[in-house]
Amino acid sequence: MDKTIWFDGNSGGTKTNRLGYCGYCAGGHFVGVPSFSVGASEQTLGVFTVTSILLLVSAGHRMGLYVVYYGFSYEKFFASYTVLYCAILFLWLIAQLFGRERSNVVKFLATLFLWMFGFVALFPTEQFIFRTNIILSKEPDSRIVLAELKMLSPDVLTLVKKQRNQILAKEEYDWGPWIEQQERILAGKHWYELNVMNVITKMFKA
């Protein structure tokens, strides 16, 4: 600050100088403590956010390489979704550093979480995993084991039947018992237990 306020020996108060120190003066003694400005806090947040984005890019790159060679699974799908969530959050934080109006970070976090949770709840996750692994398995350096897709639910039953005698036939795995088991599970579901993909599967079966 350009203005310095002086106190006599018997008065009390604070003073701040150009070096960013403020102190309390009482009984002729002055105690100086660091004064952290809003600008310094914003700069610290900016450095933290940029560093976090760099780490996030590195983690996303490694995750992408792992998916390309070994395929998607539940864990890798939701890990990638979490990386996307953090990327949107950090980009938003950087944008706020250049804005003049203050924003509610907690409100944004909650809103972003609800929107992304709602999207993934409606998104055909298992069909996406199945289709992506089928495509990636055609690459020359792929190490994807398609038999591991048996962990999926009846949501991919139609796709398995379609690919059973095609690309799935390249591996020595009998999909017959899995198909029968999933059909029993699907037939045993009540109407309120069905999701969109279950309804589509029943329509194609009919």
Side-chain angles (χ1 to χ4, degrees):
M1 295 178 62
D2 294 334
K3 185 178 180 181
T4 302
I5 304 174
W6 296 95
F7 300 85
D8 58 30
N10 295 321
S11 62
T14 60
K15 72 175 183 178
T16 308
N17 57 20
R18 290 174 180 268
L19 298 177
Y21 282 83
C22 66
Y24 183 79
C25 185
H29 299 284
F30 180 79
V31 181
V33 294
S35 175
F36 298 98
S37 64
V38 177
S41 300
E42 291 179 348
Q43 290 176 0
T44 303
L45 177 61
V47 172
F48 169 78
T49 304
V50 172
T51 305
S52 299
I53 287 181
L54 294 176
L55 294 174
L56 198 64
V57 170
S58 176
H61 177 68
R62 292 196 300 271
M63 176 66 69
L65 291 176
Y66 195 77
V67 167
V68 168
Y69 286 103
Y70 294 95
F72 261 119
S73 64
Y74 281 117
E75 294 80 6
K76 282 174 275 188
F77 176 83
F78 286 106
S80 302
Y81 205 66
T82 303
V83 170
L84 177 62
Y85 176 87
C86 293
I88 296 174
L89 172 61
F90 289 137
L91 290 175
W92 180 83
L93 288 174
I94 289 179
Q96 298 311 301
L97 295 177
F98 299 97
R100 295 183 178 180
E101 297 182 359
R102 291 183 177 273
S103 302
N104 191 327
V105 178
V106 176
K107 181 179 179 181
F108 178 81
L109 284 172
T111 303
L112 179 62
F113 174 80
L114 290 176
W115 272 101
M116 294 190 69
F117 179 80
F119 175 79
V120 78
L122 299 175
F123 185 73
T125 304
E126 298 195 6
Q127 291 236 348
F128 175 80
I129 293 173
F130 186 92
R131 293 177 187 273
T132 303
N133 285 2
I134 290 292
I135 295 173
L136 293 176
S137 66
K138 299 177 182 179
E139 296 296 326
D141 298 330
S142 175
R143 299 181 182 180
I144 296 175
V145 179
L146 294 177
E148 293 179 354
L149 295 175
K150 64 182 181 292
M151 65 179 179
L152 300 178
S153 72
D155 287 5
V156 298
L157 181 58
T158 304
L159 294 176
V160 170
K161 289 181 177 180
K162 186 182 298 184
Q163 299 288 342
R164 182 182 182 183
N165 297 322
Q166 299 179 24
I167 192 169
L168 294 180
K170 294 181 179 180
E171 297 182 2
E172 296 181 359
Y173 179 77
D174 184 11
W175 285 89
W178 183 90
I179 293 175
E180 294 177 359
Q181 180 185 12
Q182 302 308 313
E183 287 180 340
R184 288 196 300 270
I185 293 175
L186 188 59
K189 285 187 175 182
H190 299 285
W191 64 268
Y192 53 83
E193 296 177 314
L194 299 174
N195 57 30
V196 177
M197 298 312 304
N198 294 156
V199 174
I200 294 175
T201 301
K202 283 196 169 187
M203 289 175 59
F204 276 99
K205 184 178 180 180

